[in-house]
Amino acid sequence: MTYEFLQHYWCFIVSLLGAILVFLLFVQGANSVARSLGYTEEGRRLVYNSTGRKWEFTFTTLVTFGGAFFASFPLFYSTSFGGAYWLWMLILFTFVLQAVSYEFQNKIGNFLGPKTFQFFLTLNGIVGPLLLGGAVATFFEGSNFIIEKNNLIDAGAITPIISRWANASHGLDALLNPWVLVLGFAVVFLARVLGILYVMNNVNDEDIRSRGSVRLIGAAVPFVVLFVAYLVHVLLKDGFAFDPATGVIFMEPYKYLHNFLDMWYLLIILLIGVVLVLFGIGKTIVSKDYVCGIWPAGIGTVLTVLALLLSCAWNNTAYYPSTADLQSSLTLQNSCSSEFTLTTMFWVSLLVPFVLAYIIYAWRAIDKKKLDKEEIQTDHAY
């Protein structure tokens, strides 16, 4: 195992976690359309109890994603999570609101009323995916930060801080870039698509399933338009490349298109992912009795996001570009942990398949019986 292999390996692991996180945003997506999927109060409770069984998976994956980034690429963690903290704090705040809302919306003594907490769930369902999608877009569009490693060895430095944000917005300035918003809203509508597909599969209620088919069209059309627009933009834009021999970062025309052509296997993964997502959506809309669209669409989502994330990091690409100082952009080589740390973590990561097996087992046990109206009358219902 060479140092370069370990850098690419951990980039793959982090990207895979990010791709799984995007898939698990179906919880947020379903909550954002709960009031239209479940027209009655009973119908809404069915939707919230369906997603309430899975929200811990999303939150845990988000935390694991951040932890893996911290351990393998600490300079990114300190730059993004430490510099763009308003963006990440808003994301975490909406997820905390989600957890509280599930538990307290129907609790005795809830003086705010169920609708207040249901509003919080809707807010998380829109703001969470929007900001996470915007954060992913900065891997292609760049962020406003400056890296000054000399501060660690400069005795005259006022403070030994390596990275700092170049303005006072601390990450919120990314939302001023229209292309960041395009991908952000594409993730919002993707989450809705996946959420509708999941509820249709998980809830045994004909009224919700019939409404889901109609709502699916309304979510799928803007998602496809926004995603295609952003994908074309990425393939045609100048990208952030670097010379591995000198470490100099420069702009390269059609960099991400070149990445997909050079790494043809990523292009194949991307195309398979897109086809699976469209298949899951299309068959669910066309076939009245088909309710398993969440699985091809979910797998397709993971493959598509994985290919996109790897395309902005592999093949001598700066995965976290700086718009304030081009040479401050982060690459796999200049932002990773030591070889000893990555090697030690590699052996620990071999336990991941066992964790995934447990998650699959727990998922199947939770969904062994489809949710129905009788189950939401129990004491354990949200």
Side-chain angles (χ1 to χ4, degrees), residues 129-169:
L130 174 63
L131 295 182
L132 283 172
V136 171
T138 60
F139 293 148
F140 296 96
E141 307 301 327
S143 295
N144 204 3
F145 63 90
I146 296 174
I147 302 293
E148 296 175 339
K149 291 186 177 181
N150 289 333
N151 281 350
L152 285 178
I153 58 176
D154 185 4
I158 299 177
T159 176
I161 297 176
I162 297 178
S163 58
R164 61 180 176 87
W165 218 249
N167 57 43
S169 69

mmCIF file of all heavy atoms in Angstrom, residues 129-169:
data_model
loop_
_atom_site.group_PDB
_atom_site.id
_atom_site.type_symbol
_atom_site.label_atom_id
_atom_site.label_comp_id
_atom_site.label_asym_id
_atom_site.label_seq_id
_atom_site.Cartn_x
_atom_site.Cartn_y
_atom_site.Cartn_z
ATOM 1 N N PRO A 129 -31.532 19.304 2.765
ATOM 2 C CA PRO A 129 -31.022 18.923 1.441
ATOM 3 C C PRO A 129 -30.486 20.098 0.634
ATOM 4 O O PRO A 129 -29.505 19.953 -0.100
ATOM 5 C CB PRO A 129 -32.247 18.301 0.757
ATOM 6 C CG PRO A 129 -33.109 17.829 1.880
ATOM 7 C CD PRO A 129 -32.914 18.833 2.973
ATOM 8 N N LEU A 130 -31.115 21.276 0.759
ATOM 9 C CA LEU A 130 -30.650 22.451 0.012
ATOM 10 C C LEU A 130 -29.230 22.817 0.408
ATOM 11 O O LEU A 130 -28.356 23.023 -0.451
ATOM 12 C CB LEU A 130 -31.590 23.629 0.272
ATOM 13 C CG LEU A 130 -31.162 24.977 -0.332
ATOM 14 C CD1 LEU A 130 -31.131 24.897 -1.856
ATOM 15 C CD2 LEU A 130 -32.091 26.096 0.133
ATOM 16 N N LEU A 131 -28.954 22.889 1.704
ATOM 17 C CA LEU A 131 -27.625 23.278 2.165
ATOM 18 C C LEU A 131 -26.596 22.177 1.926
ATOM 19 O O LEU A 131 -25.440 22.466 1.600
ATOM 20 C CB LEU A 131 -27.681 23.644 3.645
ATOM 21 C CG LEU A 131 -28.523 24.874 4.003
ATOM 22 C CD1 LEU A 131 -28.460 25.157 5.492
ATOM 23 C CD2 LEU A 131 -28.079 26.092 3.208
ATOM 24 N N LEU A 132 -26.991 20.915 2.084
ATOM 25 C CA LEU A 132 -26.055 19.821 1.804
ATOM 26 C C LEU A 132 -25.712 19.779 0.319
ATOM 27 O O LEU A 132 -24.558 19.565 -0.059
ATOM 28 C CB LEU A 132 -26.655 18.492 2.249
ATOM 29 C CG LEU A 132 -26.620 18.216 3.757
ATOM 30 C CD1 LEU A 132 -27.411 16.959 4.088
ATOM 31 C CD2 LEU A 132 -25.182 18.067 4.251
ATOM 32 N N GLY A 133 -26.716 19.979 -0.532
ATOM 33 C CA GLY A 133 -26.447 20.046 -1.968
ATOM 34 C C GLY A 133 -25.554 21.216 -2.318
ATOM 35 O O GLY A 133 -24.650 21.104 -3.165
ATOM 36 N N GLY A 134 -25.769 22.357 -1.643
ATOM 37 C CA GLY A 134 -24.907 23.512 -1.861
ATOM 38 C C GLY A 134 -23.483 23.246 -1.421
ATOM 39 O O GLY A 134 -22.526 23.677 -2.074
ATOM 40 N N ALA A 135 -23.328 22.518 -0.298
ATOM 41 C CA ALA A 135 -21.981 22.172 0.177
ATOM 42 C C ALA A 135 -21.260 21.288 -0.834
ATOM 43 O O ALA A 135 -20.054 21.459 -1.080
ATOM 44 C CB ALA A 135 -22.079 21.476 1.533
ATOM 45 N N VAL A 136 -21.979 20.334 -1.433
ATOM 46 C CA VAL A 136 -21.376 19.476 -2.459
ATOM 47 C C VAL A 136 -20.979 20.299 -3.679
ATOM 48 O O VAL A 136 -19.924 20.066 -4.289
ATOM 49 C CB VAL A 136 -22.356 18.350 -2.858
ATOM 50 C CG1 VAL A 136 -21.835 17.580 -4.077
ATOM 51 C CG2 VAL A 136 -22.577 17.391 -1.698
ATOM 52 N N ALA A 137 -21.794 21.284 -4.036
ATOM 53 C CA ALA A 137 -21.506 22.111 -5.212
ATOM 54 C C ALA A 137 -20.207 22.887 -5.058
ATOM 55 O O ALA A 137 -19.524 23.176 -6.053
ATOM 56 C CB ALA A 137 -22.667 23.072 -5.468
ATOM 57 N N THR A 138 -19.828 23.216 -3.814
ATOM 58 C CA THR A 138 -18.582 23.967 -3.622
ATOM 59 C C THR A 138 -17.354 23.147 -4.002
ATOM 60 O O THR A 138 -16.285 23.713 -4.236
ATOM 61 C CB THR A 138 -18.443 24.432 -2.157
ATOM 62 O OG1 THR A 138 -18.420 23.297 -1.280
ATOM 63 C CG2 THR A 138 -19.600 25.343 -1.763
ATOM 64 N N PHE A 139 -17.483 21.810 -4.089
ATOM 65 C CA PHE A 139 -16.366 20.989 -4.553
ATOM 66 C C PHE A 139 -16.048 21.271 -6.021
ATOM 67 O O PHE A 139 -14.931 21.015 -6.473
ATOM 68 C CB PHE A 139 -16.671 19.507 -4.377
ATOM 69 C CG PHE A 139 -16.760 19.070 -2.941
ATOM 70 C CD1 PHE A 139 -17.602 18.045 -2.561
ATOM 71 C CD2 PHE A 139 -16.004 19.681 -1.962
ATOM 72 C CE1 PHE A 139 -17.693 17.630 -1.244
ATOM 73 C CE2 PHE A 139 -16.079 19.286 -0.639
ATOM 74 C CZ PHE A 139 -16.930 18.253 -0.277
ATOM 75 N N PHE A 140 -17.043 21.775 -6.741
ATOM 76 C CA PHE A 140 -16.837 22.113 -8.151
ATOM 77 C C PHE A 140 -16.718 23.625 -8.365
ATOM 78 O O PHE A 140 -16.000 24.066 -9.261
ATOM 79 C CB PHE A 140 -18.007 21.587 -8.996
ATOM 80 C CG PHE A 140 -18.130 20.088 -9.016
ATOM 81 C CD1 PHE A 140 -19.001 19.435 -8.144
ATOM 82 C CD2 PHE A 140 -17.383 19.327 -9.895
ATOM 83 C CE1 PHE A 140 -19.126 18.057 -8.163
ATOM 84 C CE2 PHE A 140 -17.500 17.938 -9.913
ATOM 85 C CZ PHE A 140 -18.364 17.306 -9.042
ATOM 86 N N GLU A 141 -17.427 24.402 -7.552
ATOM 87 C CA GLU A 141 -17.487 25.849 -7.772
ATOM 88 C C GLU A 141 -16.440 26.609 -6.976
ATOM 89 O O GLU A 141 -16.074 27.724 -7.338
ATOM 90 C CB GLU A 141 -18.884 26.370 -7.405
ATOM 91 C CG GLU A 141 -20.027 25.646 -8.081
ATOM 92 C CD GLU A 141 -19.955 25.721 -9.591
ATOM 93 O OE1 GLU A 141 -19.481 26.759 -10.112
ATOM 94 O OE2 GLU A 141 -20.355 24.745 -10.255
ATOM 95 N N GLY A 142 -15.965 26.029 -5.863
ATOM 96 C CA GLY A 142 -14.964 26.689 -5.040
ATOM 97 C C GLY A 142 -15.567 27.412 -3.845
ATOM 98 O O GLY A 142 -16.772 27.680 -3.793
ATOM 99 N N SER A 143 -14.718 27.702 -2.865
ATOM 100 C CA SER A 143 -15.121 28.423 -1.664
ATOM 101 C C SER A 143 -14.102 29.519 -1.368
ATOM 102 O O SER A 143 -12.970 29.494 -1.862
ATOM 103 C CB SER A 143 -15.225 27.459 -0.473
ATOM 104 O OG SER A 143 -16.262 26.515 -0.665
ATOM 105 N N ASN A 144 -14.514 30.456 -0.519
ATOM 106 C CA ASN A 144 -13.726 31.666 -0.298
ATOM 107 C C ASN A 144 -12.851 31.534 0.950
ATOM 108 O O ASN A 144 -13.158 32.074 2.009
ATOM 109 C CB ASN A 144 -14.686 32.855 -0.144
ATOM 110 C CG ASN A 144 -14.011 34.169 -0.494
ATOM 111 O OD1 ASN A 144 -12.866 34.198 -0.904
ATOM 112 N ND2 ASN A 144 -14.732 35.253 -0.317
ATOM 113 N N PHE A 145 -11.732 30.817 0.830
ATOM 114 C CA PHE A 145 -10.846 30.608 1.976
ATOM 115 C C PHE A 145 -9.391 30.771 1.565
ATOM 116 O O PHE A 145 -9.047 30.772 0.376
ATOM 117 C CB PHE A 145 -11.053 29.215 2.592
ATOM 118 C CG PHE A 145 -10.706 28.079 1.660
ATOM 119 C CD1 PHE A 145 -9.419 27.564 1.628
ATOM 120 C CD2 PHE A 145 -11.661 27.533 0.825
ATOM 121 C CE1 PHE A 145 -9.082 26.526 0.768
ATOM 122 C CE2 PHE A 145 -11.339 26.493 -0.035
ATOM 123 C CZ PHE A 145 -10.050 25.983 -0.065
ATOM 124 N N ILE A 146 -8.536 30.919 2.583
ATOM 125 C CA ILE A 146 -7.101 31.080 2.358
ATOM 126 C C ILE A 146 -6.350 30.138 3.305
ATOM 127 O O ILE A 146 -6.688 30.052 4.491
ATOM 128 C CB ILE A 146 -6.648 32.534 2.609
ATOM 129 C CG1 ILE A 146 -7.318 33.470 1.602
ATOM 130 C CG2 ILE A 146 -5.128 32.660 2.517
ATOM 131 C CD1 ILE A 146 -7.042 34.945 1.858
ATOM 132 N N ILE A 147 -5.364 29.420 2.773
ATOM 133 C CA ILE A 147 -4.533 28.508 3.561
ATOM 134 C C ILE A 147 -3.165 29.151 3.774
ATOM 135 O O ILE A 147 -2.517 29.581 2.817
ATOM 136 C CB ILE A 147 -4.351 27.147 2.855
ATOM 137 C CG1 ILE A 147 -5.709 26.497 2.605
ATOM 138 C CG2 ILE A 147 -3.457 26.232 3.677
ATOM 139 C CD1 ILE A 147 -6.424 26.090 3.856
ATOM 140 N N GLU A 148 -2.724 29.210 5.027
ATOM 141 C CA GLU A 148 -1.417 29.779 5.360
ATOM 142 C C GLU A 148 -0.697 28.826 6.309
ATOM 143 O O GLU A 148 -0.671 29.022 7.533
ATOM 144 C CB GLU A 148 -1.587 31.163 5.996
ATOM 145 C CG GLU A 148 -2.212 32.187 5.060
ATOM 146 C CD GLU A 148 -2.499 33.519 5.738
ATOM 147 O OE1 GLU A 148 -2.590 33.512 6.993
ATOM 148 O OE2 GLU A 148 -2.638 34.520 5.042
ATOM 149 N N LYS A 149 -0.082 27.776 5.757
ATOM 150 C CA LYS A 149 0.604 26.772 6.577
ATOM 151 C C LYS A 149 1.823 27.329 7.298
ATOM 152 O O LYS A 149 2.246 26.791 8.323
ATOM 153 C CB LYS A 149 1.009 25.576 5.709
ATOM 154 C CG LYS A 149 -0.164 24.747 5.213
ATOM 155 C CD LYS A 149 0.312 23.510 4.483
ATOM 156 C CE LYS A 149 -0.857 22.640 4.046
ATOM 157 N NZ LYS A 149 -0.410 21.409 3.353
ATOM 158 N N ASN A 150 2.393 28.402 6.763
ATOM 159 C CA ASN A 150 3.577 28.984 7.398
ATOM 160 C C ASN A 150 3.286 29.536 8.789
ATOM 161 O O ASN A 150 4.208 29.782 9.571
ATOM 162 C CB ASN A 150 4.160 30.091 6.515
ATOM 163 C CG ASN A 150 4.820 29.540 5.266
ATOM 164 O OD1 ASN A 150 5.290 28.397 5.267
ATOM 165 N ND2 ASN A 150 4.858 30.336 4.203
ATOM 166 N N ASN A 151 2.003 29.746 9.091
ATOM 167 C CA ASN A 151 1.659 30.271 10.412
ATOM 168 C C ASN A 151 2.083 29.328 11.530
ATOM 169 O O ASN A 151 2.287 29.745 12.672
ATOM 170 C CB ASN A 151 0.148 30.520 10.506
ATOM 171 C CG ASN A 151 -0.244 31.819 9.812
ATOM 172 O OD1 ASN A 151 0.610 32.603 9.430
ATOM 173 N ND2 ASN A 151 -1.535 32.037 9.653
ATOM 174 N N LEU A 152 2.213 28.034 11.203
ATOM 175 C CA LEU A 152 2.605 27.058 12.218
ATOM 176 C C LEU A 152 4.064 27.202 12.630
ATOM 177 O O LEU A 152 4.444 26.875 13.758
ATOM 178 C CB LEU A 152 2.353 25.636 11.715
ATOM 179 C CG LEU A 152 0.890 25.168 11.681
ATOM 180 C CD1 LEU A 152 0.809 23.760 11.122
ATOM 181 C CD2 LEU A 152 0.278 25.215 13.073
ATOM 182 N N ILE A 153 4.884 27.683 11.721
ATOM 183 C CA ILE A 153 6.323 27.782 12.009
ATOM 184 C C ILE A 153 6.800 29.228 12.104
ATOM 185 O O ILE A 153 7.953 29.478 12.434
ATOM 186 C CB ILE A 153 7.149 27.045 10.932
ATOM 187 C CG1 ILE A 153 6.857 27.610 9.528
ATOM 188 C CG2 ILE A 153 6.837 25.556 10.952
ATOM 189 C CD1 ILE A 153 7.707 26.997 8.439
ATOM 190 N N ASP A 154 5.903 30.168 11.823
ATOM 191 C CA ASP A 154 6.271 31.591 11.863
ATOM 192 C C ASP A 154 6.103 32.103 13.293
ATOM 193 O O ASP A 154 4.985 32.229 13.805
ATOM 194 C CB ASP A 154 5.392 32.382 10.905
ATOM 195 C CG ASP A 154 5.811 33.844 10.828
ATOM 196 O OD1 ASP A 154 6.820 34.206 11.466
ATOM 197 O OD2 ASP A 154 5.128 34.614 10.126
ATOM 198 N N ALA A 155 7.220 32.410 13.927
ATOM 199 C CA ALA A 155 7.170 32.878 15.318
ATOM 200 C C ALA A 155 6.478 34.229 15.437
ATOM 201 O O ALA A 155 5.957 34.574 16.498
ATOM 202 C CB ALA A 155 8.587 32.961 15.890
ATOM 203 N N GLY A 156 6.458 34.982 14.362
ATOM 204 C CA GLY A 156 5.847 36.306 14.407
ATOM 205 C C GLY A 156 4.364 36.306 14.091
ATOM 206 O O GLY A 156 3.716 37.364 14.107
ATOM 207 N N ALA A 157 3.824 35.141 13.776
ATOM 208 C CA ALA A 157 2.400 35.070 13.443
ATOM 209 C C ALA A 157 1.560 35.387 14.669
ATOM 210 O O ALA A 157 1.853 34.953 15.786
ATOM 211 C CB ALA A 157 2.055 33.682 12.913
ATOM 212 N N ILE A 158 0.519 36.172 14.479
ATOM 213 C CA ILE A 158 -0.362 36.548 15.576
ATOM 214 C C ILE A 158 -1.056 35.326 16.157
ATOM 215 O O ILE A 158 -1.192 35.180 17.363
ATOM 216 C CB ILE A 158 -1.404 37.586 15.101
ATOM 217 C CG1 ILE A 158 -0.697 38.842 14.603
ATOM 218 C CG2 ILE A 158 -2.375 37.926 16.219
ATOM 219 C CD1 ILE A 158 -1.637 39.883 14.042
ATOM 220 N N THR A 159 -1.475 34.432 15.284
ATOM 221 C CA THR A 159 -2.146 33.208 15.732
ATOM 222 C C THR A 159 -1.768 32.067 14.799
ATOM 223 O O THR A 159 -1.728 32.266 13.577
ATOM 224 C CB THR A 159 -3.680 33.391 15.769
ATOM 225 O OG1 THR A 159 -4.292 32.155 16.131
ATOM 226 C CG2 THR A 159 -4.211 33.849 14.429
ATOM 227 N N PRO A 160 -1.471 30.893 15.320
ATOM 228 C CA PRO A 160 -1.048 29.767 14.461
ATOM 229 C C PRO A 160 -2.229 29.068 13.787
ATOM 230 O O PRO A 160 -2.416 27.873 13.934
ATOM 231 C CB PRO A 160 -0.338 28.849 15.444
ATOM 232 C CG PRO A 160 -1.047 29.083 16.741
ATOM 233 C CD PRO A 160 -1.409 30.545 16.739
ATOM 234 N N ILE A 161 -3.033 29.830 13.060
ATOM 235 C CA ILE A 161 -4.187 29.270 12.356
ATOM 236 C C ILE A 161 -3.800 29.018 10.905
ATOM 237 O O ILE A 161 -3.329 29.931 10.215
ATOM 238 C CB ILE A 161 -5.397 30.218 12.435
ATOM 239 C CG1 ILE A 161 -5.835 30.379 13.893
ATOM 240 C CG2 ILE A 161 -6.545 29.692 11.594
ATOM 241 C CD1 ILE A 161 -6.969 31.367 14.086
ATOM 242 N N ILE A 162 -4.006 27.795 10.458
ATOM 243 C CA ILE A 162 -3.604 27.448 9.089
ATOM 244 C C ILE A 162 -4.553 28.037 8.065
ATOM 245 O O ILE A 162 -4.137 28.623 7.071
ATOM 246 C CB ILE A 162 -3.538 25.914 8.929
ATOM 247 C CG1 ILE A 162 -2.476 25.331 9.856
ATOM 248 C CG2 ILE A 162 -3.234 25.531 7.483
ATOM 249 C CD1 ILE A 162 -2.380 23.834 9.796
ATOM 250 N N SER A 163 -5.854 27.862 8.294
ATOM 251 C CA SER A 163 -6.836 28.287 7.295
ATOM 252 C C SER A 163 -7.793 29.317 7.884
ATOM 253 O O SER A 163 -8.066 29.312 9.087
ATOM 254 C CB SER A 163 -7.628 27.081 6.794
ATOM 255 O OG SER A 163 -8.275 26.421 7.865
ATOM 256 N N ARG A 164 -8.268 30.190 7.040
ATOM 257 C CA ARG A 164 -9.249 31.187 7.471
ATOM 258 C C ARG A 164 -10.157 31.541 6.310
ATOM 259 O O ARG A 164 -9.781 31.422 5.140
ATOM 260 C CB ARG A 164 -8.552 32.446 7.987
ATOM 261 C CG ARG A 164 -7.683 33.156 6.940
ATOM 262 C CD ARG A 164 -7.020 34.379 7.522
ATOM 263 N NE ARG A 164 -6.111 35.020 6.568
ATOM 264 C CZ ARG A 164 -6.492 35.926 5.667
ATOM 265 N NH1 ARG A 164 -7.782 36.291 5.595
ATOM 266 N NH2 ARG A 164 -5.614 36.463 4.840
ATOM 267 N N TRP A 165 -11.380 31.938 6.658
ATOM 268 C CA TRP A 165 -12.328 32.360 5.630
ATOM 269 C C TRP A 165 -11.985 33.782 5.208
ATOM 270 O O TRP A 165 -11.605 34.612 6.043
ATOM 271 C CB TRP A 165 -13.755 32.272 6.153
ATOM 272 C CG TRP A 165 -14.716 31.801 5.107
ATOM 273 C CD1 TRP A 165 -15.697 32.524 4.501
ATOM 274 C CD2 TRP A 165 -14.786 30.501 4.537
ATOM 275 N NE1 TRP A 165 -16.370 31.752 3.589
ATOM 276 C CE2 TRP A 165 -15.819 30.503 3.587
ATOM 277 C CE3 TRP A 165 -14.053 29.325 4.726
ATOM 278 C CZ2 TRP A 165 -16.158 29.379 2.838
ATOM 279 C CZ3 TRP A 165 -14.382 28.203 3.988
ATOM 280 C CH2 TRP A 165 -15.419 28.236 3.051
ATOM 281 N N ALA A 166 -12.127 34.076 3.936
ATOM 282 C CA ALA A 166 -11.687 35.372 3.410
ATOM 283 C C ALA A 166 -12.719 36.476 3.611
ATOM 284 O O ALA A 166 -12.448 37.637 3.293
ATOM 285 C CB ALA A 166 -11.342 35.248 1.921
ATOM 286 N N ASN A 167 -13.901 36.144 4.115
ATOM 287 C CA ASN A 167 -14.896 37.180 4.407
ATOM 288 C C ASN A 167 -15.665 36.792 5.662
ATOM 289 O O ASN A 167 -15.431 35.734 6.245
ATOM 290 C CB ASN A 167 -15.845 37.389 3.216
ATOM 291 C CG ASN A 167 -16.554 36.115 2.797
ATOM 292 O OD1 ASN A 167 -17.028 35.347 3.622
ATOM 293 N ND2 ASN A 167 -16.622 35.886 1.484
ATOM 294 N N ALA A 168 -16.587 37.641 6.043
ATOM 295 C CA ALA A 168 -17.303 37.446 7.309
ATOM 296 C C ALA A 168 -18.548 36.573 7.175
ATOM 297 O O ALA A 168 -19.219 36.319 8.173
ATOM 298 C CB ALA A 168 -17.701 38.797 7.891
ATOM 299 N N SER A 169 -18.850 36.102 5.979
ATOM 300 C CA SER A 169 -20.072 35.305 5.795
ATOM 301 C C SER A 169 -19.910 33.874 6.293
ATOM 302 O O SER A 169 -20.893 33.195 6.583
ATOM 303 C CB SER A 169 -20.468 35.277 4.313
ATOM 304 O OG SER A 169 -19.533 34.522 3.563
#
